[in-house]
Amino acid sequence: MPLICARPLGRLVPKLGSSLRPVLSSAAASLAASPRRPVGVVLQHLDTESWKRFYADHKLDFPALDQKWRQKWSESSREKGAKEDEKNKYVLPMFPYPSGYLHLGHLRVYTIADVIARFQTLQGHKVLLPMGWDAFGLPAENAAIERGINPATWTKANIARMKEQLDVMNGSWDWNCELATCDPDFYQHTQKIFLALHEKGLAYQAEAEVNYDPVDKTVLANEQVDANGCSWRSGAKVEKRRLKQWFLKISEFRESLLKDLETLAKDEAWPERVLAMQKNWLGKSKGATVKFPVLAFGQGTHSAIEVFTSRPDTLFGVQYIALAATHPSVQQLAKSDPELQAFLSTLPGLPPDSKVGYLLPHIRAVNPLAYHEETPEDTKVSLPIYVAPYVLGDYGEGAVMGVPGHDLRDHAFWKEHHYDAPVRFVLAASEDETTTAMPNEPFTEHGVMNANSGIFKDKSSKEAGEMLVKLLEPAGLAKETEKWRLRDWLISRQRYWGTPIPIVHCGSCGTVPVPDEQLPVVLPEVDEHWAGKKTGNPLESQTDWINTSCPKCGGEAKRDTDTMDTFVDSSWYYMRFIDAHNKEAPFSPEKAKALTPVDLYIGGVEHAILHLLYSRFIYKFLMTSSFAGKEPNATEAAESDESSEVYEPFKRLITQGMVHGKTYTDPATGRFLKPDEVDLSNPNEPKVVATGALANVSYEKMSKSKHNGVDPTTFIAQYGADATRAHMLFQAPVSEILDWDENKITGVTRWLSRVYDLVQKVVTASSSAETPSSASNVKAFFEQQQQQKSESVDDLAKLDASITIWREVQRTISSVTASYNKVYTLNTVISDLMSLTNVIASSSNYDAADPLIKREAVSALIRMMAPIAPAFAEECWSVLYPNQAGSSLFDVTSEAARFPTPDGTEAILKSRKQTCAVQLNGKTKFAVEIGTPPAGLEKDTEKLREFIVAEVLRTEEGKAKLEGRYGVDVNKAKKVIVVRGGRLLNVVM
């Protein structure tokens, strides 16, 4: 149906077609008399048959509605005139990387964010919902090399394209806050934050081992090295190099990063899964550092190997020592061992859980317990020493004690290299459990020490562990230790497309910060580099840019040619949104206090560790720094855990599930089928075009290789943004995987059409255009009906229908409000609204209910659905209340368009009738409609029983069945039991 309620009838008729013109002839006189009256009012003169013909085979044009209201929204700001004394709300979806195309995953997260922002706007809040672009990064640089263009050109074109896609989603983005991390106006402040960290000693340079591609001349992440140790891009053999790198000292904040997880766990503010991942990444563990003396036969190495263990109780079970490739002893031995050198060169391409190992020749280790005379002989045997990729060089001491009997990885490694050798178990689940009775798997829990633990037999393993450390401590062979998995954040990238590090290197002064007045340090133009499709970091060859003067002494100096990890940009971007046009500072202290932390942060669980951890770290630093107006020593207090304040950037975190697409495969080959290779003439039986065989159907992660991607803009162009948004939310709870099925959207479009029909019916039944009523009007109506106590059949029918509708409205308001607030159950909002629509539209209710109740019920329905289907709701609102057509539902200055709240009518919405199930001797025989017991009667059991029996017998069905068919004389019953307020009557004979 075209926008029939917003156009004069004369302009509407040509668009509907000649077949519908006769339907409207009966309204001609009314139109002539009042040409400016809304079509909805004019159509009230149509009879029922004319209405049916009017709506027949005519569908709402949802894309047209979208376009109409997007244009209106663009003409006025959603925040215009917001009350300053109302609490600010900050809703933020994780900003996208500008790849050039939005996918359904983007649509899902941005729909969720916009729905919540609009819901809070309707509640009267001033909501900040910004959008920006995570625009730096390696993909843009690679695209520039492939295409021979500047990465800035490629990135800006992608941003423009994606912004157009976002615009058709009916979002309410605050584009005046828009930012791109590749804009010098943004990364100028990233550089300021880096220098503030540097001033506090939290940014420093140190040597670190990296994966280096000698062809592309760049550093690679571990995931960019294939199984053969080669670069994913150039194919070159990756080299391990030690380069001077920049680090941020996140380890200084580790205690508060761990402790404050307790705050985020309150009221389920953050998902338990994310909190666990954060805690594991921080990796605080208490244990002991143990020294294993080394027997070196002619080998120059350390006299002892230090190992950190969280399970000193398993010391008796050590059967080997494993070292990381970067362990100093390994590096020393490799100088004279070509085979070890060759083994080390294969490690970059191996998976972390690889079981390969290199047995170091002519060197053994000794268990420190071997020097105790009562230690079992097996424990005194010298231990082989391996180099193993599963040992991390940056955790503990870069060495592990291998305990196959009580560690899964150690067990797997031992079996790989000593398949026939027995595994030694030194503790069991209970005192009477022996090693022979245990399964051939490691026992990893705490328990009771067994006979292989010597004098510690029968002691609890926890107690024994403490005793063992104390036993070895006097000899300097063990000490209690606390270790963290967390390592300082390496931010150096030997690439062009990133924020330049604002440091110059002077031969006299060393590393010198670039002065604030010289910021930003802007990336130089290197068009020749891109045009030549050259690899490597072009900054290293830009001598005019590199060579500069020292800010301290004025002598010759060179700029740092590293750029920052893109995680640095995303660790603070949410702070820039609140003060996006501040040229002097990243943000003002006043804005930070007013708008942070973010009230609701929404994004994928794949960012649960690094991005969120880095954001938490940077926010803690910023909020204790001069940027937030804090005293100079505030940061030191936060680092030392002396501050009582908790600084967390995101009050609440919502992680949405992935979107999977319908995937077709050939049953004969397993090959993924393209859309044109599938015959969907019968959607229930898709066939392979080439063979006619039934195709296999599954839902899988969307990808180009599986040909199961869906372009959201194409879908929106066909069905409209509002229907698409509702369909997206309705299919699955927010946190779960969504199996995208286009065919199911028809249920949503039918529902929207029914709502529109309801609006039209309400409007045509009114004699004049009305403004929204207050809740007190509805309450007054029901109170008046109670006082009148009319016995008229028509009046009672009207009251019953009105109560039924309004009671469902009140129930829905409570349920929907809870779902909007919870977020994860947004799918139930739509199901609740569909149920409410059915109740209102039911002929028995709608035909009998009072016009006021029908109008206010539809009004509440529109406002409750508005966050999900904003353009559609705006259209319905403008039709229902033509006098309000000049304002938007989402205008925070409008009191009339607030999100509905319970109006306190529950106590007076008691129906005159209720259903009573009648049982004989506990078996249900029938059910009848009876009168509702008077208020307070349920307190008097005897009177309630008499009332219910009388009501049942007053009905024709009750009397006929109870006394006629079943021959029951209630007066002679052994018991008459009434429960559930008279909804169940049990007669026991």
Side-chain angles (χ1 to χ4, degrees):
M1 187 179 298
L3 307 182
I4 62 173
C5 301
R7 298 177 177 146
L9 191 59
R11 293 171 56 192
L12 172 67
V13 173
K15 295 184 177 292
L16 292 178
S18 59
S19 63
L20 287 176
R21 290 176 194 168
V23 174
L24 305 175
S25 60
S26 64
S30 177
L31 177 64
S34 181
R36 294 185 178 274
R37 293 177 74 188
V39 173
V41 175
V42 173
L43 294 181
Q44 65 181 291
H45 299 283
L46 299 182
D47 56 30
T48 304
E49 285 305 312
S50 296
W51 266 112
K52 289 181 179 178
R53 290 162 59 195
F54 184 84
Y55 283 114
D57 300 322
H58 209 79
K59 296 181 179 179
L60 279 167
D61 188 347
F62 293 112
L65 287 178
D66 293 340
Q67 189 173 3
K68 170 186 174 179
W69 286 100
R70 281 201 298 269
Q71 184 176 349
K72 286 183 176 291
W73 293 330
S74 69
E75 294 168 359
S76 62
S77 170
R78 178 170 54 80
E79 293 184 348
K80 184 179 178 181
K83 294 181 179 179
E84 292 301 323
D85 60 347
E86 290 180 325
K87 177 174 168 47
N88 289 315
K89 290 286 184 179
Y90 188 176
V91 177
L92 182 64
M94 295 180 184
F95 66 164
Y97 173 76
S99 62
Y101 297 96
L102 293 175
H103 51 68
L104 283 176
H106 288 119
L107 176 61
R108 191 179 196 192
V109 66
Y110 300 141
T111 295
I112 295 165
D114 185 64
V115 164
I116 300 306
R118 289 186 181 276
F119 166 65
Q120 293 180 343
T121 298
L122 284 169
Q123 289 185 312
H125 297 297
K126 179 181 176 183
V127 183
L128 176 64
L129 179 66
M131 179 54 69
W133 311 96
D134 192 7
F136 273 139
L138 186 59
E141 192 161 339
N142 288 337
I145 294 170
E146 291 170 5
R147 294 166 174 77
I149 60 172
N150 191 313
T153 304
W154 186 79
T155 299
K156 289 175 182 176
N158 287 349
I159 288 174
R161 186 160 49 246
M162 292 176 73
K163 193 170 180 180
E164 290 178 0
Q165 291 178 298
L166 276 172
D167 281 340
V168 303
M169 293 181 182
N170 286 357
S172 52
W173 315 110
D174 292 298
W175 287 114
N176 61 317
C177 300
E178 182 183 10
L179 60 81
T181 58
C182 65
D183 188 331
D185 288 342
F186 178 86
Y187 68 70
Q188 167 186 357
H189 299 292
T190 306
Q191 291 172 341
K192 286 185 178 182
I193 292 170
F194 173 89
L195 292 176
L197 288 159
H198 185 267
E199 182 184 4
K200 294 291 185 181
L202 297 172
Y204 65 93
Q205 265 189 313
E207 279 200 345
E209 187 177 75
V210 295
N211 301 317
Y212 188 79
D213 183 331
V215 174
D216 279 354
K217 299 177 181 177
T218 187
V219 172
L220 302 174
N222 288 334
E223 56 269 24
Q224 294 172 326
V225 181
D226 67 21
N228 297 315
C230 298
S231 167
W232 69 283
R233 176 179 165 79
S234 70
K237 199 72 175 177
V238 172
E239 300 173 0
K240 286 287 188 181
R241 291 191 180 181
R242 292 191 71 80
L243 299 178
K244 209 165 189 182
Q245 307 277 282
W246 283 98
F247 292 83
L248 298 184
K249 198 176 286 187
I250 188 174
S251 58
E252 291 292 326
F253 287 76
R254 62 194 183 190
E255 286 289 355
S256 62
L257 287 168
L258 179 61
K259 177 175 65 70
D260 293 347
L261 291 177
E262 297 174 5
T263 299
L264 300 178
K266 292 178 181 177
D267 301 319
E268 299 180 336
W270 279 39
E272 185 178 344
R273 175 185 176 190
V274 174
L275 295 173
M277 294 168 78
Q278 291 262 310
K279 188 174 182 179
N280 291 339
W281 191 263
L282 291 167
K284 181 179 182 180
S285 32
K286 294 183 178 180
T289 300
V290 181
K291 285 185 178 179
F292 287 77
V294 171
L295 301 174
F297 305 97
Q299 302 293 315
T301 184
H302 296 77
S303 60
I305 294 173
E306 287 196 354
V307 172
F308 171 76
T309 178
S310 59
R311 293 293 302 273
D313 54 312
T314 63
L315 257 175
F316 285 102
V318 177
Q319 293 184 263
Y320 68 93
I321 298 293
L323 305 178
T326 55
H327 192 279
S329 293
V330 175
Q331 296 296 309
Q332 179 67 29
L333 293 169
K335 294 177 181 178
S336 58
D337 188 342
E339 289 186 18
L340 176 56
Q341 292 175 15
F343 174 78
L344 294 177
S345 68
T346 67
L347 297 186
L350 294 177
D353 59 349
S354 173
K355 301 179 184 65
V356 302
Y358 179 84
L359 178 63
L360 294 173
H362 314 301
I363 181 171
R364 305 278 288 187
V366 177
N367 191 318
L369 292 174
Y371 299 100
H372 194 278
E373 60 183 15
E374 296 190 52
T375 295
E377 292 301 315
D378 287 344
T379 304
K380 294 181 179 181
V381 174
S382 63
L383 307 170
I385 303 175
Y386 288 88
V387 181
Y390 82 87
V391 182
L392 303 177
D394 60 352
Y395 180 73
E397 308 298 331
V400 302
M401 57 184 213
V403 187
H406 304 288
D407 184 272
L408 291 170
R409 286 185 308 172
D410 295 350
H411 185 273
F413 184 86
W414 181 256
K415 283 299 181 181
E416 180 74 19
H417 297 276
H418 299 270
Y419 182 76
D420 295 328
V423 171
R424 189 186 317 142
F425 295 92
V426 297
L427 60 107
S430 58
E431 291 183 18
D432 60 350
E433 189 171 351
T434 64
T435 55
T436 55
M438 293 182 70
N440 191 26
E441 292 293 332
F443 177 70
T444 59
E445 305 299 325
H446 279 284
V448 178
M449 309 298 284
N450 65 19
N452 289 330
S453 299
I455 60 172
F456 295 91
K457 183 179 182 295
D458 295 336
K459 292 189 180 297
S460 76
S461 59
K462 289 184 178 180
E463 180 188 4
E466 295 172 1
M467 295 174 66
L468 284 167
V469 173
K470 290 178 181 178
L471 175 69
L472 298 173
E473 198 165 14
L477 294 174
K479 63 178 179 180
E480 290 185 357
T481 311
E482 180 181 278
K483 290 289 182 181
W484 294 74
R485 182 186 177 193
L486 179 70
R487 291 293 173 266
D488 283 342
W489 177 9
L490 192 160
I491 66 163
S492 285
R493 296 294 182 267
Q494 288 71 40
R495 303 180 188 125
Y496 171 84
W497 196 233
T499 300
I501 291 178
I503 293 288
V504 297
H505 300 275
C506 174
S508 301
C509 306
T511 58
V512 182
V514 173
D516 189 77
E517 62 272 14
Q518 294 181 22
L519 297 178
V521 177
V522 179
L523 289 167
E525 297 294 332
V526 290
D527 290 339
E528 290 183 3
H529 179 86
W530 310 121
K533 298 187 176 182
K534 299 176 183 178
T535 59
N537 182 3
L539 295 180
E540 295 175 352
S541 60
Q542 301 301 302
T543 54
D544 290 344
W545 182 81
I546 292 174
N547 295 323
T548 186
S549 57
C550 174
K552 186 178 288 187
C553 70
E556 294 182 355
K558 293 183 180 296
R559 295 191 188 280
D560 198 303
T561 59
D562 282 357
T563 54
M564 297 186 207
D565 178 10
T566 55
F567 275 127
V568 178
D569 306 317
S570 61
S571 71
W572 80 278
Y573 78 106
Y574 51 91
M575 298 295 288
R576 185 61 180 170
F577 278 136
I578 66 175
D579 202 3
H581 305 291
N582 190 332
K583 294 183 178 180
E584 305 302 320
F587 53 88
S588 72
E590 296 76 20
K591 291 286 183 68
K593 184 177 181 180
L595 276 167
T596 66
V598 175
D599 290 289
L600 187 67
Y601 196 41
I602 309 163
V605 75
E606 63 271 19
H607 301 294
I609 300 178
L610 296 182
H611 163 58
L612 292 174
L613 189 67
Y614 295 151
S615 297
R616 296 179 62 219
F617 157 51
I618 292 298
Y619 185 75
K620 289 177 185 295
F621 168 74
L622 291 174
M623 295 304 288
T624 54
S625 72
S626 59
F627 291 119
K630 297 295 173 127
E631 297 297 324
N633 62 348
T635 299
E636 285 80 358
E639 295 169 28
S640 62
D641 203 32
E642 294 175 6
S643 173
S644 59
E645 291 192 72
V646 174
Y647 294 109
E648 287 292 338
F650 313 118
K651 281 185 186 177
R652 190 167 175 218
L653 174 69
I654 297 295
T655 55
Q656 87 283 356
M658 297 178 66
V659 181
H660 285 184
K662 187 176 282 188
T663 310
Y664 299 99
T665 54
D666 189 329
T669 64
R671 183 175 63 87
F672 292 107
L673 299 173
K674 298 177 182 178
D676 60 0
E677 294 178 317
V678 185
D679 176 5
L680 293 174
S681 55
N682 181 354
N684 296 323
E685 294 184 358
K687 295 180 180 179
V688 182
V689 172
T691 64
L694 287 176
N696 292 330
V697 183
S698 61
Y699 286 91
E700 299 187 30
K701 182 180 179 180
M702 291 184 177
S703 69
K704 291 181 180 179
S705 62
K706 294 176 182 176
H707 314 297
N708 63 352
V710 175
D711 182 353
T713 54
T714 302
F715 198 83
I716 287 171
Q718 180 178 357
Y719 296 102
D722 283 357
T724 302
R725 286 158 60 110
H727 177 54
M728 172 73 74
L729 295 175
F730 188 39
Q731 283 196 83
V734 165
S735 62
E736 294 182 11
I737 291 173
L738 189 158
D739 291 335
W740 181 258
D741 189 342
E742 177 178 341
N743 297 325
K744 292 180 180 179
I745 197 172
T746 54
V748 169
T749 55
R750 279 198 301 267
W751 167 56
L752 295 176
S753 296
R754 291 192 73 198
V755 173
Y756 193 76
D757 290 348
L758 271 177
V759 173
Q760 290 289 346
K761 288 177 71 176
V762 167
V763 169
T764 56
S766 302
S767 58
S768 62
E770 298 182 22
T771 56
S773 300
S774 67
S776 60
N777 290 352
V778 174
K779 191 171 184 179
F781 165 79
F782 284 113
E783 289 173 342
Q784 183 182 18
Q785 294 298 311
Q786 268 195 335
Q787 291 171 2
Q788 289 179 350
K789 295 183 179 179
S790 172
E791 294 297 326
S792 163
V793 174
D794 290 342
D795 288 346
L796 292 175
K798 177 191 289 189
L799 179 60
D800 287 342
S802 298
I803 286 175
T804 299
I805 290 175
W806 200 248
R807 192 165 50 199
E808 183 64 13
V809 168
Q810 294 302 298
R811 185 202 67 79
T812 305
I813 289 172
S814 298
S815 177
V816 162
T817 302
S819 295
Y820 275 127
N821 284 321
K822 191 173 182 179
V823 181
Y824 284 114
T825 55
L826 285 178
N827 59 312
T828 65
V829 171
I830 298 168
S831 59
D832 278 339
L833 294 178
M834 286 179 172
S835 296
L836 175 59
T837 304
N838 292 337
V839 171
I840 299 172
S842 167
S843 59
S844 60
N845 293 328
Y846 187 87
D847 293 343
D850 187 87
L852 170 68
I853 300 304
K854 288 187 285 190
R855 175 179 287 275
E856 293 310 307
V858 172
S859 172
L861 173 61
I862 293 170
R863 285 175 283 154
M864 286 189 279
M865 72 188 306
I868 293 170
F872 175 80
E874 290 270 35
E875 182 68 19
C876 291
W877 190 256
S878 69
V879 173
L880 189 63
Y881 301 114
N883 292 348
Q884 302 287 312
S887 63
S888 168
L889 260 174
F890 303 101
D891 182 355
V892 295
T893 64
S894 171
E895 293 292 336
R898 286 284 187 263
F899 197 87
T901 56
D903 63 1
T905 57
E906 295 90 341
I908 58 176
L909 288 180
K910 198 167 184 181
S911 176
R912 291 186 313 106
K913 294 184 178 181
Q914 68 181 37
T915 300
C916 177
V918 179
Q919 294 182 342
L920 292 181
N921 298 323
K923 294 183 179 181
T924 301
K925 298 299 182 180
F926 61 93
V928 290
E929 286 286 314
I930 64 171
T932 303
L937 193 63
E938 65 273 6
K939 296 178 181 179
D940 190 325
T941 306
E942 184 63 32
K943 288 184 178 181
L944 177 63
R945 183 165 54 241
E946 291 175 0
F947 176 86
I948 297 300
V949 170
E951 284 293 309
V952 170
L953 293 175
R954 186 176 289 123
T955 66
E956 290 184 15
E957 182 182 4
K959 188 172 183 65
K961 289 185 176 179
L962 198 60
E963 295 184 344
R965 179 185 300 180
Y966 301 109
V968 173
D969 183 351
V970 178
N971 295 321
K972 295 180 179 179
K974 290 183 179 178
K975 284 184 182 179
V976 177
I977 304 169
V978 174
V979 295
R980 293 169 53 207
R983 289 177 175 82
L984 177 64
L985 172 67
N986 183 18
V987 181
V988 181
M989 300 303 293

